[in-house]
Amino acid sequence: MSREVTINIKTIQTDSKGNSDDIELVTRGDIYEEDGVIYVVYEETELSGMEGTTTTLKIFDNQVVLKRLGQNTSDMIFEKGKRFKTKYKTFHGDISMELLTTAVDVNVDKKQCKVDVDIAYDINISGVFEGKNKMNIRIS
């Protein structure tokens, strides 16, 4: 059974020259647990630039899978020490993306109904952008 939650996602993206950009998204979504895996589902908004896209997070103890369907389609797997190559499909065309996850920290507090996820990863987008990202996801 799912319940409505507030999802706060803050990403700090630092490019290879050391310039950083902070992006924060606060939205409503649904959370449920199935076979020990936590699922969080929310609709992207115009603010994220991905309106018409549904995002699903599958949260395991040491891995997070981010799946987007709709106007923008992508799969991202974050697992410490693992490299992941994917295609990011947009209405402008496909973009190749490579991730190398350097940290995944998942904290679940069932009593408080909170989930905190911290992810750090290196990203390379079609050789056009290279940088380091830190993503902090708070669900309550």
Side-chain angles (χ1 to χ4, degrees):
M1 185 168 136
S2 71
R3 69 172 192 283
E4 190 175 55
V5 290
T6 299
I7 303 158
N8 185 312
I9 302 172
K10 184 173 184 178
T11 304
I12 301 170
Q13 187 171 66
T14 306
D15 67 19
S16 56
K17 294 177 183 146
N19 302 313
S20 67
D21 192 17
D22 292 21
I23 304 158
E24 189 164 4
L25 169 72
V26 179
T27 190
R28 303 292 288 170
D30 292 304
I31 189 170
Y32 63 95
E33 190 173 345
E34 191 175 292
D35 297 328
V37 178
I38 296 169
Y39 293 82
V40 180
V41 182
Y42 62 94
E43 298 296 323
E44 294 286 351
T45 66
E46 191 177 339
L47 283 175
S48 69
M50 292 183 279
E51 192 174 26
T53 301
T54 301
T55 297
T56 301
L57 296 170
K58 284 175 66 174
I59 302 169
F60 300 85
D61 290 338
N62 62 347
Q63 181 190 72
V64 176
V65 177
L66 185 150
K67 187 179 214 54
R68 290 192 171 113
L69 290 171
Q71 291 284 348
N72 298 282
T73 302
S74 68
D75 291 314
M76 297 179 193
I77 299 174
F78 301 99
E79 186 174 347
K80 185 177 179 178
K82 299 272 178 99
R83 189 174 298 276
F84 181 72
K85 292 181 181 184
T86 187
K87 292 268 190 217
Y88 193 73
K89 298 179 191 316
T90 72
F91 57 90
H92 297 296
D94 292 359
I95 301 167
S96 294
M97 191 163 48
E98 186 174 328
L99 311 170
L100 173 61
T101 304
T102 55
V104 175
D105 187 25
V106 176
N107 292 298
V108 178
D109 184 339
K110 290 189 179 184
K111 285 184 182 177
Q112 298 287 320
C113 298
K114 290 184 181 180
V115 179
D116 292 334
V117 179
D118 290 300
I119 301 170
Y121 60 100
D122 296 343
I123 186 168
N124 184 315
I125 302 172
S126 293
V128 175
F129 177 84
E130 209 169 291
K132 296 184 180 296
N133 286 5
K134 287 185 180 175
M135 185 172 12
N136 172 262
I137 304 166
R138 299 281 179 253
I139 302 157
S140 57

